Amino acid sequence: MSLDPVQVMKVQDPMPSTCLSASNGDSQASWDDSKDIHENVDSTKKPKSGPVRRARKVEGGIFFPKPENAVTIAVSSRVLFRTEKEQKVFEQKGIEEYLRYQVEHENEPFAPGPAFPFVKALEAVNSRLRELYPDSEELFDIVLVTYNHAHVGIRLINTINYHSLFIERFCMTGGSSPIGYLKAWHTNLYLSADAEKVQEALAEGIAAATMFMSEKQIEVSETQLRVAFDGDAVLFSDESERIFKAHGLDKFFEHERENENRLLDHGPLKGFLEVLGKLQKKFYAKGHRMDCPIRTYLVTARSAASSGIRALKTLRAWGLEMDEALFLAGAPKGPMLEKIRPHIYFDDQMFHVEGAVEMGAIAAHVPYGIAQKYPHKKSTNAGK
């Protein structure tokens, strides 16, 4: 099986970007000469009926947490929604016809994409947090990020309202890179279909992953957010993976035994696990440990007895609790993820991402570390 993220449009002389506190299509392209796109387009159509989105209300108006206090999740429109048809219009007919098509269909909502259940689960956690801490700004705050021109914004807002999502912040960058905006939003996690932009975000110290479309998708919980992580090159550095790639499995085990009391360095998603843990502790403080709406999983190909102790000691030293830990000793991860049913699973190796998606699990690739240079081969079992 081979997975490819939705092809990203090329940038040529992008127009200035638009960032708004409201809501946002995600295709990089030239946006020149597009200001007349509304000509000859019927703007009298009425949106299709759908559920009405309700904003959070507080005394004095609608409540929006400050970015520095919130857990900010930036999501590309191409992983939140299904936009393959629109992508084909761009590829076959060019940018002007693409924009015209979007305006003509702006009252037709996009279907949910792979990140949609994850975002809905974030909103469910927010609802529980607001019940327990009405005045707290420590909430998930979702920012919709798109390479699209602002003309596409109406369709995206209509879609957000149709699906009753609470997304009020978005950036439409008109073909330019969103990375600078991600830093300004204090982004804790960025999910995109563009592997290059994900790598750019990782290089800037922003937790990020590439998501993929899958026709098969298992049902996930509507009341509990489930997030699963690989270990090396995701939560931890790729130090141990480098030993395995260079010297083989026996040397890897020897290295881990010799260094079991030396902490692993942090990986690109350690910070995201930390903020999840911080929110979990808010529920624990109110007596909701057993029914906490956030649950975390470590799903690693490491062997428990041979190399698992170092990983667990590192997490404990960091003050991080993992609700469940699965040490698979090289066994396929897909069947385990099918049972966990995570809203998202992060792994640095496409081999494991493909296996998860084959089972219908929602998986995201973290393009970080030595595994990007030496892809996993089916004939070998990594120790991580």
Side-chain angles (χ1 to χ4, degrees), residues 200-217:
E200 189 178 342
L202 289 171
E204 292 293 330
I206 300 169
T210 312
M211 297 196 75
F212 301 86
M213 299 295 182
S214 175
E215 293 306 318
K216 177 184 177 181
Q217 189 167 302

Side-chain angles (χ1 to χ4, degrees), residues 3 15 45 70 107 115 122 184 202 212 237 295 304 359 362 378:
L3 285 180
M15 288 179 64
K45 296 179 183 178
N107 294 321
L122 298 179
L202 289 171
F212 301 86
S237 73
R295 193 164 183 84
M359 303 301 293
I362 305 170
K378 291 187 177 181

Side-chain angles (χ1 to χ4, degrees), residues 24 194 249 321 327:
N24 169 359
D194 185 344
L249 193 57
E321 294 186 37
F327 293 91

Side-chain angles (χ1 to χ4, degrees), residues 358-373:
E358 283 180 349
M359 303 301 293
I362 305 170
H365 180 230
V366 182
Y368 176 86
I370 193 67
Q372 311 315 307
K373 295 182 179 179

Side-chain angles (χ1 to χ4, degrees), residues 278-290:
K278 186 177 180 180
L279 293 181
Q280 282 181 310
K281 289 176 181 177
K282 292 173 71 71
F283 288 103
Y284 300 166
K286 295 288 187 176
H288 292 282
R289 176 179 284 272
M290 300 306 296

Side-chain angles (χ1 to χ4, degrees), residues 220-259:
V220 293
S221 173
E222 295 182 357
T223 58
Q224 184 181 63
L225 170 66
R226 299 177 184 176
V227 184
F229 300 87
D230 179 30
D232 296 87
V234 176
L235 292 179
F236 314 124
S237 73
D238 66 340
E239 167 206 326
S240 299
E241 180 69 11
R242 287 178 178 273
I243 298 295
F244 169 74
K245 294 295 185 185
H247 303 290
L249 193 57
D250 290 341
K251 189 66 176 178
F252 165 82
F253 287 141
E254 179 184 339
H255 177 267
E256 293 305 289
R257 285 193 297 269
E258 291 176 350
N259 293 276

